Amino acid sequence: MTSGSLPRAAAHRIACAVVAAEIRRLRGKDLPLLHPDGWSESLAIGDKGLGLDSMEQLGALGALANTFDLDDAMLGQEPPKTVGEWIDWIMRRHASGESCLIVKTSGSTGSPIACAHAMTDLLAEAAYLVTRFSKRRRFVALVPAHHLYGIIWTALMPALMGLPVITRTIGAALDLAPGDLIVAVPDQWQSIQRLSARFPDHVVGVSSAGPLNDEIAADLLAAGLTRLVDIYGSTETGGIAMRELPATMYDLLPKWQLLPLGNNDSQLADYRGLHSLPDHVERVGDRSMRPIGRRDGAVQVGGHNVWPTRVAEMLRTIDGVADAAVRLHANGRLKAFIVPDGRYDPVELSDRIEQAAVDRLAGPERPKSLKFGATLPRNAMGKLEDWA
């Protein structure tokens, strides 16, 4: 474990991302004023600043309380009026390492689950990773700071290293410079691979929140990326293991051990006890492993857990659909094979399916490719198989 408290710079970055996400939830759109990276501590949160009304300010306080394990006893006599007063409230709770951050699973299907992480554990993970990524000049963040991956890589690590964080968006110029460390998810790396002809010298990439395609990784390295590191973990556990491409095996982070579970299965252990792995894994020795399939049948779409079987169940309830199967497409989105019941022509049925998906599924759950056939594709053993 590592002692110490949440750095104020990290608290600031995480808090602004938390509030931006909460206001986006309340309004259904982004704040028009500024990207949260531009919210100085002196910025007012009311009419002359962020423009939050009284209900939105209460929503922001609730979101911060839920993330930083706060309560109203640590508030002042007057409600916070500036971003800095939000941070003061957070730091009163996090003045020592005896605190936690609470992050939620994506909740793509079903209710999100709140996962509490001791600040000592988060700082220990960040401090170890700092030793593996020295000689960086700045962090280039393509992920928000209120998810666990972003907390570690775009808030805690930069604060511990005293380095700036530059936020970039796919589809706009990345403006990379020598010494940058890019923090992104697999879908973003796929886009970067298509858009970036050549990387500057000494640029390092990090990926997490889903498996990184080895062919895309090879192309990125061929385009001049100095290193590309894939982090394996989950919202429940934090970082578990890492691999440096082109290696296929992941090496455990120092806090973890792999213990046998029976039937050639494994589980995690640390000083707090035993933990379930999100995937079945292939082990090599005591400290190396490779994920070989989710335990719960989920796949990752844009960093969100999505359950194809549940999406297929929804599709089967649509008038005109006799049966359906759903899989992850090679492009990173879901695809669906539909068996029509004959009541609608393919064009009309496609429209019905697309409208039902918009009405009843979250964005990552919506199949982007439909194929129609008389029966679901099955192999000689009668098991569902993939389709082109």
Side-chain angles (χ1 to χ4, degrees):
M1 293 185 295
T2 293
S3 60
S5 61
L6 173 66
R8 188 178 183 94
H12 185 174
R13 180 171 175 78
I14 299 165
C16 291
V18 167
V19 172
E22 174 65 11
I23 303 306
R24 186 183 306 115
R25 184 187 70 82
L26 293 173
R27 294 186 182 181
K29 60 183 180 180
D30 289 328
L31 278 169
L33 177 63
L34 291 169
H35 190 281
D37 285 354
W39 300 357
S40 68
E41 290 206 17
S42 62
L43 182 65
I45 62 179
D47 291 337
K48 295 182 179 180
L50 291 177
L52 306 190
D53 63 27
S54 59
M55 294 301 293
E56 290 171 336
Q57 291 183 37
L58 288 176
L61 289 177
L64 291 171
N66 289 342
T67 300
F68 291 94
D69 192 29
L70 309 173
D71 60 46
D72 61 357
M74 288 173 273
L75 287 168
Q77 294 300 310
E78 296 290 333
K81 293 182 172 58
T82 66
V83 171
E85 291 178 9
W86 280 338
I87 312 307
D88 291 339
W89 181 35
I90 293 166
M91 296 312 295
R92 283 193 286 273
R93 173 70 178 91
H94 290 263
S96 71
E98 299 301 318
S99 59
C100 69
L101 289 184
I102 301 169
V103 290
K104 291 184 177 180
T105 57
S106 63
S108 299
T109 305
S111 300
I113 299 172
C115 304
H117 292 272
M119 183 54 58
T120 51
D121 291 347
L122 296 175
L123 287 169
E125 182 176 334
Y128 169 73
L129 293 169
V130 163
T131 68
R132 301 291 300 270
F133 293 88
S134 60
K135 299 181 180 179
R136 297 298 90 205
R137 296 181 61 184
R138 61 180 188 174
F139 285 69
V140 178
L142 280 79
V143 300
H146 62 292
H147 297 295
L148 191 55
Y149 178 36
I151 287 171
I152 293 289
W153 286 90
T154 75
L156 293 180
M157 286 179 64
L160 292 178
M161 299 173 78
L163 295 179
V165 182
I166 309 298
T167 298
R168 293 287 186 260
T169 302
I170 294 292
L174 294 182
D175 289 330
L176 299 174
D180 281 347
L181 189 153
I182 308 170
V183 184
V185 299
D187 288 350
Q188 293 169 332
W189 281 116
Q190 182 175 21
S191 296
I192 293 172
Q193 178 259 330
R194 290 178 168 181
L195 294 171
S196 301
R198 193 73 189 168
F199 291 97
D201 293 338
H202 309 300
V203 172
V204 171
V206 176
S207 183
S208 191
L212 180 62
N213 181 278
D214 288 347
E215 292 182 4
I216 291 173
D219 289 341
L220 290 163
L221 292 169
L225 203 61
T226 299
R227 295 172 61 197
L228 183 54
V229 177
D230 187 13
I231 306 295
Y232 172 67
S234 70
T235 302
E236 293 86 347
T237 61
I240 295 172
M242 58 192 292
R243 63 170 177 148
E244 185 157 337
L245 280 297
T248 59
M249 303 301 292
Y250 293 78
D251 296 324
L252 289 176
L253 299 185
K255 69 172 286 186
W256 296 113
Q257 290 181 301
L258 277 178
L259 298 180
L261 188 59
N263 295 321
N264 293 320
D265 207 351
S266 300
Q267 60 187 333
L268 285 172
D270 68 356
Y271 73 97
R272 295 185 183 277
L274 300 176
H275 309 263
S276 297
L277 279 160
D279 296 83
H280 298 286
V281 300
E282 172 191 345
R283 292 182 57 175
V284 176
D286 294 332
R287 305 290 303 170
S288 295
M289 46 155 264
R290 181 175 67 88
I292 55 176
R294 293 274 306 196
R295 294 177 184 275
D296 58 6
V299 297
Q300 290 261 329
V301 177
H304 297 270
N305 288 336
V306 172
W307 284 261
T309 55
R310 298 182 190 179
V311 175
E313 288 172 4
M314 189 286 290
L315 294 176
R316 294 186 194 107
T317 68
I318 300 171
D319 287 342
V321 176
D323 206 350
V326 177
R327 284 181 177 247
L328 185 65
H329 196 288
N331 64 13
R333 301 302 299 267
L334 293 185
K335 62 180 182 179
F337 192 104
I338 304 295
V339 178
D341 66 9
R343 287 185 286 168
Y344 304 97
D345 65 58
V347 173
E348 186 178 1
L349 183 55
S350 293
D351 291 342
R352 296 178 67 85
I353 292 170
E354 290 177 7
Q355 187 58 55
V358 170
D359 293 341
R360 299 164 62 184
L361 297 174
E365 297 176 291
R366 297 170 192 165
K368 293 299 180 179
S369 171
L370 299 179
K371 184 168 184 177
F372 296 90
T375 60
L376 294 179
R378 297 182 183 276
N379 62 21
M381 300 295 293
K383 295 183 179 181
L384 282 172
E385 63 180 1
D386 203 358
W387 60 92

Short mmCIF file of all heavy atoms in Angstrom, two decimals, residues 217-264:
data_model
loop_
_atom_site.label_atom_id
_atom_site.label_comp_id
_atom_site.label_asym_id
_atom_site.label_seq_id
_atom_site.Cartn_x
_atom_site.Cartn_y
_atom_site.Cartn_z
N ALA A 217 -2.74 -2.83 -33.15
CA ALA A 217 -1.56 -2.48 -32.35
C ALA A 217 -0.29 -2.53 -33.20
O ALA A 217 0.57 -1.64 -33.12
CB ALA A 217 -1.44 -3.41 -31.16
N ALA A 218 -0.18 -3.57 -34.03
CA ALA A 218 1.00 -3.69 -34.89
C ALA A 218 1.10 -2.51 -35.85
O ALA A 218 2.19 -1.98 -36.10
CB ALA A 218 0.96 -5.01 -35.65
N ASP A 219 -0.04 -2.08 -36.40
CA ASP A 219 -0.04 -0.93 -37.31
C ASP A 219 0.38 0.35 -36.59
O ASP A 219 1.10 1.19 -37.15
CB ASP A 219 -1.41 -0.75 -37.94
CG ASP A 219 -1.76 -1.84 -38.95
OD1 ASP A 219 -0.82 -2.52 -39.42
OD2 ASP A 219 -2.95 -2.01 -39.25
N LEU A 220 -0.07 0.51 -35.36
CA LEU A 220 0.29 1.70 -34.59
C LEU A 220 1.78 1.74 -34.30
O LEU A 220 2.43 2.79 -34.42
CB LEU A 220 -0.51 1.74 -33.28
CG LEU A 220 -2.01 2.01 -33.42
CD1 LEU A 220 -2.75 1.61 -32.16
CD2 LEU A 220 -2.27 3.48 -33.74
N LEU A 221 2.34 0.61 -33.95
CA LEU A 221 3.77 0.54 -33.69
C LEU A 221 4.56 0.77 -34.98
O LEU A 221 5.60 1.44 -34.97
CB LEU A 221 4.13 -0.80 -33.06
CG LEU A 221 3.58 -1.03 -31.64
CD1 LEU A 221 3.76 -2.48 -31.22
CD2 LEU A 221 4.28 -0.11 -30.64
N ALA A 222 4.05 0.25 -36.10
CA ALA A 222 4.72 0.46 -37.38
C ALA A 222 4.69 1.93 -37.79
O ALA A 222 5.57 2.40 -38.52
CB ALA A 222 4.08 -0.40 -38.45
N ALA A 223 3.68 2.67 -37.30
CA ALA A 223 3.56 4.10 -37.62
C ALA A 223 4.42 4.97 -36.71
O ALA A 223 4.35 6.20 -36.81
CB ALA A 223 2.11 4.54 -37.54
N GLY A 224 5.20 4.34 -35.84
CA GLY A 224 6.16 5.10 -35.06
C GLY A 224 5.87 5.24 -33.58
O GLY A 224 6.63 5.90 -32.86
N LEU A 225 4.76 4.64 -33.10
CA LEU A 225 4.51 4.67 -31.66
C LEU A 225 5.64 3.93 -30.95
O LEU A 225 5.94 2.78 -31.30
CB LEU A 225 3.16 4.02 -31.37
CG LEU A 225 2.43 4.39 -30.08
CD1 LEU A 225 2.11 5.88 -30.03
CD2 LEU A 225 1.15 3.58 -29.95
N THR A 226 6.26 4.55 -29.97
CA THR A 226 7.43 3.96 -29.32
C THR A 226 7.06 2.73 -28.49
O THR A 226 7.75 1.71 -28.52
CB THR A 226 8.12 5.00 -28.42
OG1 THR A 226 8.55 6.09 -29.22
CG2 THR A 226 9.32 4.39 -27.70
N ARG A 227 5.97 2.84 -27.74
CA ARG A 227 5.47 1.74 -26.93
C ARG A 227 3.95 1.78 -26.96
O ARG A 227 3.36 2.85 -27.05
CB ARG A 227 5.92 1.85 -25.46
CG ARG A 227 7.39 1.73 -25.18
CD ARG A 227 7.68 2.08 -23.71
NE ARG A 227 7.02 1.18 -22.76
CZ ARG A 227 6.85 1.47 -21.45
NH1 ARG A 227 7.26 2.64 -20.97
NH2 ARG A 227 6.27 0.60 -20.65
N LEU A 228 3.35 0.60 -26.84
CA LEU A 228 1.91 0.51 -26.71
C LEU A 228 1.62 -0.53 -25.64
O LEU A 228 2.00 -1.70 -25.77
CB LEU A 228 1.26 0.12 -28.04
CG LEU A 228 -0.27 0.05 -28.06
CD1 LEU A 228 -0.91 1.34 -27.56
CD2 LEU A 228 -0.77 -0.28 -29.46
N VAL A 229 0.95 -0.09 -24.58
CA VAL A 229 0.71 -0.94 -23.41
C VAL A 229 -0.79 -1.12 -23.22
O VAL A 229 -1.56 -0.16 -23.27
CB VAL A 229 1.34 -0.32 -22.14
CG1 VAL A 229 1.03 -1.18 -20.92
CG2 VAL A 229 2.85 -0.17 -22.33
N ASP A 230 -1.20 -2.36 -23.03
CA ASP A 230 -2.60 -2.74 -22.86
C ASP A 230 -2.82 -3.11 -21.40
O ASP A 230 -2.15 -4.00 -20.87
CB ASP A 230 -2.91 -3.92 -23.79
CG ASP A 230 -4.38 -4.28 -23.82
OD1 ASP A 230 -5.21 -3.49 -23.33
OD2 ASP A 230 -4.70 -5.36 -24.35
N ILE A 231 -3.75 -2.41 -20.74
CA ILE A 231 -4.04 -2.65 -19.33
C ILE A 231 -5.30 -3.49 -19.21
O ILE A 231 -6.34 -3.15 -19.78
CB ILE A 231 -4.24 -1.33 -18.56
CG1 ILE A 231 -3.06 -0.39 -18.77
CG2 ILE A 231 -4.47 -1.60 -17.08
CD1 ILE A 231 -1.76 -0.88 -18.19
N TYR A 232 -5.21 -4.58 -18.48
CA TYR A 232 -6.36 -5.45 -18.24
C TYR A 232 -6.86 -5.21 -16.82
O TYR A 232 -6.08 -5.24 -15.85
CB TYR A 232 -5.95 -6.91 -18.42
CG TYR A 232 -7.01 -7.92 -18.01
CD1 TYR A 232 -8.20 -8.02 -18.72
CD2 TYR A 232 -6.81 -8.76 -16.91
CE1 TYR A 232 -9.18 -8.94 -18.35
CE2 TYR A 232 -7.78 -9.69 -16.54
CZ TYR A 232 -8.96 -9.77 -17.27
OH TYR A 232 -9.91 -10.67 -16.90
N GLY A 233 -8.15 -4.97 -16.68
CA GLY A 233 -8.71 -4.74 -15.36
C GLY A 233 -10.22 -4.62 -15.44
O GLY A 233 -10.84 -4.96 -16.45
N SER A 234 -10.82 -4.11 -14.37
CA SER A 234 -12.26 -3.92 -14.34
C SER A 234 -12.58 -2.81 -13.35
O SER A 234 -11.75 -2.44 -12.51
CB SER A 234 -12.98 -5.21 -13.94
OG SER A 234 -12.74 -5.51 -12.58
N THR A 235 -13.80 -2.31 -13.42
CA THR A 235 -14.23 -1.29 -12.47
C THR A 235 -14.22 -1.85 -11.05
O THR A 235 -13.93 -1.14 -10.09
CB THR A 235 -15.64 -0.79 -12.82
OG1 THR A 235 -15.62 -0.28 -14.16
CG2 THR A 235 -16.10 0.31 -11.88
N GLU A 236 -14.52 -3.13 -10.92
CA GLU A 236 -14.57 -3.74 -9.59
C GLU A 236 -13.19 -3.91 -8.97
O GLU A 236 -13.03 -3.76 -7.75
CB GLU A 236 -15.26 -5.10 -9.66
CG GLU A 236 -16.74 -5.05 -10.01
CD GLU A 236 -17.01 -5.03 -11.50
OE1 GLU A 236 -16.08 -4.82 -12.31
OE2 GLU A 236 -18.18 -5.22 -11.88
N THR A 237 -12.18 -4.21 -9.78
CA THR A 237 -10.86 -4.54 -9.23
C THR A 237 -9.82 -3.46 -9.43
O THR A 237 -8.82 -3.42 -8.71
CB THR A 237 -10.32 -5.81 -9.90
OG1 THR A 237 -10.17 -5.57 -11.31
CG2 THR A 237 -11.24 -7.00 -9.68
N GLY A 238 -10.01 -2.57 -10.39
CA GLY A 238 -8.92 -1.71 -10.83
C GLY A 238 -8.02 -2.47 -11.77
O GLY A 238 -8.38 -3.54 -12.30
N GLY A 239 -6.83 -1.95 -12.01
CA GLY A 239 -5.90 -2.62 -12.90
C GLY A 239 -5.47 -3.97 -12.35
O GLY A 239 -5.19 -4.11 -11.16
N ILE A 240 -5.44 -4.97 -13.22
CA ILE A 240 -5.04 -6.32 -12.82
C ILE A 240 -3.69 -6.70 -13.41
O ILE A 240 -2.81 -7.21 -12.72
CB ILE A 240 -6.11 -7.35 -13.25
CG1 ILE A 240 -7.42 -7.10 -12.50
CG2 ILE A 240 -5.62 -8.78 -13.00
CD1 ILE A 240 -8.58 -7.95 -13.02
N ALA A 241 -3.52 -6.47 -14.69
CA ALA A 241 -2.30 -6.91 -15.38
C ALA A 241 -2.06 -6.00 -16.58
O ALA A 241 -2.94 -5.24 -17.00
CB ALA A 241 -2.43 -8.36 -15.82
N MET A 242 -0.87 -6.10 -17.15
CA MET A 242 -0.54 -5.28 -18.32
C MET A 242 0.36 -6.06 -19.26
O MET A 242 1.09 -6.96 -18.84
CB MET A 242 0.13 -3.97 -17.88
CG MET A 242 1.40 -4.15 -17.07
SD MET A 242 1.96 -2.61 -16.29
CE MET A 242 2.44 -1.67 -17.74
N ARG A 243 0.27 -5.73 -20.53
CA ARG A 243 1.16 -6.33 -21.52
C ARG A 243 1.68 -5.21 -22.42
O ARG A 243 0.99 -4.24 -22.70
CB ARG A 243 0.45 -7.38 -22.36
CG ARG A 243 -0.70 -6.85 -23.20
CD ARG A 243 -1.22 -7.86 -24.20
NE ARG A 243 -2.36 -7.34 -24.94
CZ ARG A 243 -2.65 -7.67 -26.19
NH1 ARG A 243 -1.88 -8.54 -26.85
NH2 ARG A 243 -3.71 -7.16 -26.81
N GLU A 244 2.90 -5.37 -22.84
CA GLU A 244 3.49 -4.42 -23.78
C GLU A 244 3.51 -5.09 -25.14
O GLU A 244 4.19 -6.10 -25.35
CB GLU A 244 4.90 -4.01 -23.33
CG GLU A 244 5.49 -2.94 -24.20
CD GLU A 244 6.59 -2.14 -23.50
OE1 GLU A 244 6.61 -2.12 -22.25
OE2 GLU A 244 7.42 -1.56 -24.20
N LEU A 245 2.75 -4.53 -26.06
CA LEU A 245 2.64 -5.09 -27.39
C LEU A 245 4.02 -5.13 -28.07
O LEU A 245 4.84 -4.23 -27.87
CB LEU A 245 1.67 -4.25 -28.24
CG LEU A 245 0.17 -4.48 -28.05
CD1 LEU A 245 -0.22 -5.87 -28.43
CD2 LEU A 245 -0.29 -4.13 -26.66
N PRO A 246 4.33 -6.22 -28.82
CA PRO A 246 3.41 -7.24 -29.34
C PRO A 246 3.21 -8.46 -28.46
O PRO A 246 2.70 -9.47 -28.94
CB PRO A 246 4.09 -7.63 -30.66
CG PRO A 246 5.54 -7.49 -30.36
CD PRO A 246 5.66 -6.29 -29.46
N ALA A 247 3.61 -8.44 -27.19
CA ALA A 247 3.41 -9.58 -26.32
C ALA A 247 1.92 -9.92 -26.23
O ALA A 247 1.06 -9.04 -26.30
CB ALA A 247 3.96 -9.29 -24.93
N THR A 248 1.61 -11.20 -26.08
CA THR A 248 0.22 -11.63 -25.97
C THR A 248 -0.18 -11.94 -24.53
O THR A 248 -1.37 -12.00 -24.23
CB THR A 248 -0.03 -12.88 -26.83
OG1 THR A 248 0.84 -13.93 -26.39
CG2 THR A 248 0.23 -12.58 -28.30
N MET A 249 0.80 -12.15 -23.66
CA MET A 249 0.52 -12.47 -22.26
C MET A 249 0.59 -11.21 -21.40
O MET A 249 1.40 -10.32 -21.64
CB MET A 249 1.50 -13.51 -21.74
CG MET A 249 1.52 -14.82 -22.53
SD MET A 249 -0.09 -15.66 -22.61
CE MET A 249 -0.29 -16.15 -20.89
N TYR A 250 -0.28 -11.16 -20.40
CA TYR A 250 -0.33 -10.04 -19.46
C TYR A 250 0.43 -10.42 -18.18
O TYR A 250 0.26 -11.52 -17.66
CB TYR A 250 -1.77 -9.71 -19.09
CG TYR A 250 -2.60 -9.15 -20.21
CD1 TYR A 250 -3.13 -9.98 -21.19
CD2 TYR A 250 -2.89 -7.79 -20.28
CE1 TYR A 250 -3.92 -9.48 -22.22
CE2 TYR A 250 -3.69 -7.28 -21.30
CZ TYR A 250 -4.19 -8.12 -22.26
OH TYR A 250 -4.97 -7.62 -23.28
N ASP A 251 1.21 -9.48 -17.67
CA ASP A 251 1.91 -9.67 -16.40
C ASP A 251 1.12 -9.00 -15.28
O ASP A 251 0.71 -7.83 -15.41
CB ASP A 251 3.32 -9.07 -16.47
CG ASP A 251 4.19 -9.78 -17.48
OD1 ASP A 251 4.06 -11.01 -17.61
OD2 ASP A 251 5.01 -9.11 -18.14
N LEU A 252 0.92 -9.71 -14.19
CA LEU A 252 0.14 -9.18 -13.07
C LEU A 252 0.81 -7.93 -12.49
O LEU A 252 2.04 -7.85 -12.38
CB LEU A 252 0.02 -10.23 -11.97
CG LEU A 252 -0.89 -11.43 -12.23
CD1 LEU A 252 -0.80 -12.40 -11.06
CD2 LEU A 252 -2.34 -11.01 -12.45
N LEU A 253 -0.01 -6.97 -12.06
CA LEU A 253 0.49 -5.86 -11.27
C LEU A 253 0.91 -6.40 -9.90
O LEU A 253 0.40 -7.42 -9.43
CB LEU A 253 -0.58 -4.78 -11.14
CG LEU A 253 -1.06 -4.13 -12.45
CD1 LEU A 253 -2.03 -2.98 -12.15
CD2 LEU A 253 0.09 -3.64 -13.30
N PRO A 254 1.83 -5.69 -9.22
CA PRO A 254 2.44 -6.25 -8.00
C PRO A 254 1.46 -6.68 -6.91
O PRO A 254 1.73 -7.64 -6.18
CB PRO A 254 3.33 -5.11 -7.52
CG PRO A 254 3.69 -4.36 -8.76
CD PRO A 254 2.47 -4.43 -9.62
N LYS A 255 0.31 -5.99 -6.77
CA LYS A 255 -0.59 -6.29 -5.65
C LYS A 255 -1.30 -7.62 -5.79
O LYS A 255 -1.82 -8.15 -4.81
CB LYS A 255 -1.62 -5.17 -5.49
CG LYS A 255 -2.65 -5.10 -6.61
CD LYS A 255 -3.78 -4.09 -6.30
CE LYS A 255 -4.74 -4.61 -5.26
NZ LYS A 255 -5.91 -3.71 -5.05
N TRP A 256 -1.33 -8.20 -7.00
CA TRP A 256 -2.18 -9.35 -7.24
C TRP A 256 -1.42 -10.67 -7.25
O TRP A 256 -0.27 -10.74 -7.64
CB TRP A 256 -2.91 -9.21 -8.58
CG TRP A 256 -3.86 -8.07 -8.66
CD1 TRP A 256 -3.75 -6.96 -9.45
CD2 TRP A 256 -5.09 -7.92 -7.94
NE1 TRP A 256 -4.83 -6.13 -9.26
CE2 TRP A 256 -5.66 -6.70 -8.35
CE3 TRP A 256 -5.75 -8.71 -6.99
CZ2 TRP A 256 -6.87 -6.24 -7.83
CZ3 TRP A 256 -6.95 -8.25 -6.47
CH2 TRP A 256 -7.50 -7.03 -6.90
N GLN A 257 -2.14 -11.72 -6.87
CA GLN A 257 -1.70 -13.10 -7.05
C GLN A 257 -2.82 -13.87 -7.75
O GLN A 257 -4.01 -13.56 -7.56
CB GLN A 257 -1.40 -13.78 -5.71
CG GLN A 257 -0.18 -13.26 -5.00
CD GLN A 257 0.03 -14.02 -3.69
OE1 GLN A 257 -0.83 -14.02 -2.82
NE2 GLN A 257 1.17 -14.69 -3.57
N LEU A 258 -2.44 -14.87 -8.53
CA LEU A 258 -3.42 -15.77 -9.14
C LEU A 258 -3.46 -17.06 -8.33
O LEU A 258 -2.42 -17.69 -8.10
CB LEU A 258 -3.03 -16.10 -10.58
CG LEU A 258 -3.42 -15.11 -11.68
CD1 LEU A 258 -2.89 -15.61 -13.02
CD2 LEU A 258 -4.93 -14.94 -11.76
N LEU A 259 -4.64 -17.46 -7.90
CA LEU A 259 -4.80 -18.68 -7.13
C LEU A 259 -5.72 -19.64 -7.88
O LEU A 259 -6.67 -19.20 -8.54
CB LEU A 259 -5.39 -18.37 -5.75
CG LEU A 259 -4.55 -17.48 -4.83
CD1 LEU A 259 -5.26 -17.27 -3.50
CD2 LEU A 259 -3.16 -18.06 -4.61
N PRO A 260 -5.47 -20.95 -7.77
CA PRO A 260 -6.34 -21.92 -8.46
C PRO A 260 -7.73 -21.93 -7.86
O PRO A 260 -7.91 -21.79 -6.65
CB PRO A 260 -5.60 -23.24 -8.24
CG PRO A 260 -4.75 -23.03 -7.03
CD PRO A 260 -4.36 -21.58 -7.05
N LEU A 261 -8.73 -22.13 -8.74
CA LEU A 261 -10.12 -22.15 -8.32
C LEU A 261 -10.78 -23.50 -8.58
O LEU A 261 -11.86 -23.78 -8.11
CB LEU A 261 -10.90 -21.03 -9.06
CG LEU A 261 -12.32 -20.75 -8.62
CD1 LEU A 261 -12.39 -20.35 -7.15
CD2 LEU A 261 -12.93 -19.64 -9.48
N GLY A 262 -10.08 -24.38 -9.30
CA GLY A 262 -10.66 -25.66 -9.68
C GLY A 262 -11.10 -25.64 -11.13
O GLY A 262 -11.42 -24.58 -11.69
N ASN A 263 -11.11 -26.82 -11.75
CA ASN A 263 -11.48 -26.94 -13.16
C ASN A 263 -10.63 -26.05 -14.05
O ASN A 263 -11.12 -25.43 -15.01
CB ASN A 263 -12.97 -26.60 -13.36
CG ASN A 263 -13.89 -27.58 -12.68
OD1 ASN A 263 -13.63 -28.78 -12.67
ND2 ASN A 263 -14.95 -27.07 -12.08
N ASN A 264 -9.34 -25.97 -13.69
CA ASN A 264 -8.38 -25.16 -14.44
C ASN A 264 -8.75 -23.68 -14.47
O ASN A 264 -8.34 -22.94 -15.36
CB ASN A 264 -8.24 -25.66 -15.89
CG ASN A 264 -7.61 -27.03 -15.95
OD1 ASN A 264 -6.66 -27.32 -15.21
ND2 ASN A 264 -8.13 -27.89 -16.82
#
